[in-house]
Amino acid sequence: MLYEILKSFFSFRFYERAQALLHGDLHTSSVMVTHESTQVLDLELAFYGPMGFDIGAFLGNLILAFFAQDGHADQVNDSKVCPVSVIACVFIFSSEK
């Protein structure tokens, strides 16, 4: 009962603070980067909400992908990535105009 009350209260507060049009499902597979531009794809879940939502979802996806690397690597295709490259990706994404 208390869970349902808190859930509806915070859901209402979340959707009430519509500050910007958001992607809604931003992750590394939704972003295409070239030397000339950065494009975001897959917009069917777009909605109005708080500005930090997409940034938080994208950063969370980067962190999960980084920690999941060991589980996907094998002897033939060992993909070790330095943590600095994850930080660099976050910096590049946040500095795009």
Side-chain angles (χ1 to χ4, degrees), residues 31-40 55 58 88-97:
V31 180
M32 302 289 285
V33 179
T34 66
H35 290 290
E36 293 82 29
S37 69
T38 301
Q39 305 293 322
V40 178
I55 300 299
F58 186 78
C89 183
V90 171
F91 176 75
I92 290 168
F93 177 73
S94 65
S95 64
E96 286 289 322
K97 294 180 182 178

Side-chain angles (χ1 to χ4, degrees), residues 17-23 47-52 54:
R17 299 187 183 212
Q19 300 168 329
L21 180 60
L22 304 173
H23 183 274
F47 67 97
Y48 284 98
M51 289 189 286
D54 279 341

Side-chain angles (χ1 to χ4, degrees), residues 4-14:
E4 293 297 324
I5 293 169
L6 291 174
K7 179 182 167 187
S8 52
F9 172 76
F10 286 113
S11 293
F12 176 75
R13 298 273 309 205
F14 177 79

Side-chain angles (χ1 to χ4, degrees), residues 70-87:
D70 290 337
H72 296 288
D74 57 20
Q75 295 295 334
V76 178
N77 186 20
D78 192 342
S79 59
K80 294 289 183 187
V81 175
C82 176
V84 174
S85 65
V86 174
I87 295 169

